[in-house]
Structure formats: structure tokens, C-alpha cells
Amino acid sequence: MSKKTLVIGVIGADVHAVGNKILYHAFTEAGFEVVNLGVMVSQEEYIAAAIESNADAIVVSSLYGHGELDCRGLREKCDEAGLKGILLYVGGNIVVGKQPFDEVEKRFLAMGFDRVFAPGTAPETTIAALKEDLQVMACEADSAS
């Protein structure tokens, strides 16, 4: 079975690189093929990379609080580009100010994201969700380590 491919990056004008590097290493060690676009990534760059790499999921990070603006319309653009149904994850400090996470999560789910992760979510939590959603068998993941 071939490895599942993820496209990751930090969306918009955000330059928070540390979390992105941590996720890259965690996802790679978990057995995923990872295309890391780095920081200040546009929606179009995520989509182009997902098409080019035949990705199974796009994982969007945002830490500077403007994720809600930066992510708006991404599902529709994916659909238009032929990536209908691609797994879309978002996480980090994705809204301005202190807002109840369940409300934030509802808004991002309504925007077409499959899962929304709160600030400070452990990479293992995201990895477990990816394995579940992409139906990665435990034996596949174990053989990668």
C-alpha cells in the first residue's frame, strides 16, 4: 500500500514556522508522505501542490488569528479544481480573540473543513485523526516506523 500524501503549510500572511516544522517531522515519522509548503501559503498554492502530488489531505495551520478570513472559500476552490472530497484539516490559533472553541469549530466545519483542531493540539491527535479519516491500517503505519 502506498503512503498517504499530505500537503501542509501556514496560510495567509502568517510566518509562524516552528509549529509547521514540528508537524512536518511528526507526520513524516508517522509514515505519511509530506509536501511542506512552509509559511505564507495561499489557497492556490495548497491546491496546486495537492493536484501535483495527488494528495490525500490538505492540513492548514494558522497562528496569527486570521485563519477564518484566510480559509474562507478553500473547499469551494478545491472542488472547482477537481479536488472534490479531499480531506481538509485546519488548526492553530485560527480566530482573533478568545472565542469558545465549539463555536469556532462549527464555523470552520460550515466552511467545509473535515476537522478543526484547537490551539495546542498534540501532533499525535492530528495523526490519529488522519489515520482514521484516510483509513490507514495500523500495520501500514507500524511498518513505516
Side-chain angles (χ1 to χ4, degrees):
M1 192 75 182
S2 63
K3 285 184 176 185
K4 297 291 184 182
T5 302
L6 313 176
V7 171
I8 72 169
V10 182
I11 199 165
D14 200 332
V15 295
H16 290 88
V18 175
N20 179 263
K21 289 185 170 93
I22 291 168
L23 287 177
Y24 172 77
H25 291 295
F27 293 157
T28 303
E29 282 179 29
F32 292 101
E33 193 66 46
V34 183
V35 177
N36 187 354
L37 301 177
V39 298
M40 297 178 70
V41 180
S42 70
Q43 289 187 4
E44 292 73 19
E45 288 170 303
Y46 281 107
I47 291 167
I51 291 169
E52 192 177 310
S53 64
N54 197 22
D56 299 288
I58 295 174
V59 181
V60 176
S61 296
S62 181
L63 282 172
Y64 74 151
H66 297 288
E68 194 165 3
L69 288 171
D70 294 335
C71 291
R72 205 166 278 148
L74 180 57
R75 170 61 73 194
E76 292 76 8
K77 285 183 186 167
C78 286
D79 290 352
E80 287 165 17
L83 297 172
K84 214 168 188 61
I86 191 167
L87 201 59
L88 278 184
Y89 280 14
V90 65
N93 186 27
I94 51 181
V95 292
V96 176
K98 294 263 180 243
Q99 299 180 38
F101 182 71
D102 59 333
E103 290 176 19
V104 173
E105 183 179 36
K106 275 186 201 139
R107 293 202 305 271
F108 276 86
L109 293 173
M111 277 196 272
F113 283 84
D114 295 289
R115 294 206 193 215
V116 186
F117 297 94
T121 299
E124 295 74 25
T125 303
T126 310
I127 289 165
L130 282 164
K131 287 181 175 177
E132 181 183 323
D133 291 347
L134 295 173
Q135 298 172 333
V136 174
M137 301 303 157
C139 57
E140 275 180 53
D142 294 342
S143 66
S145 52

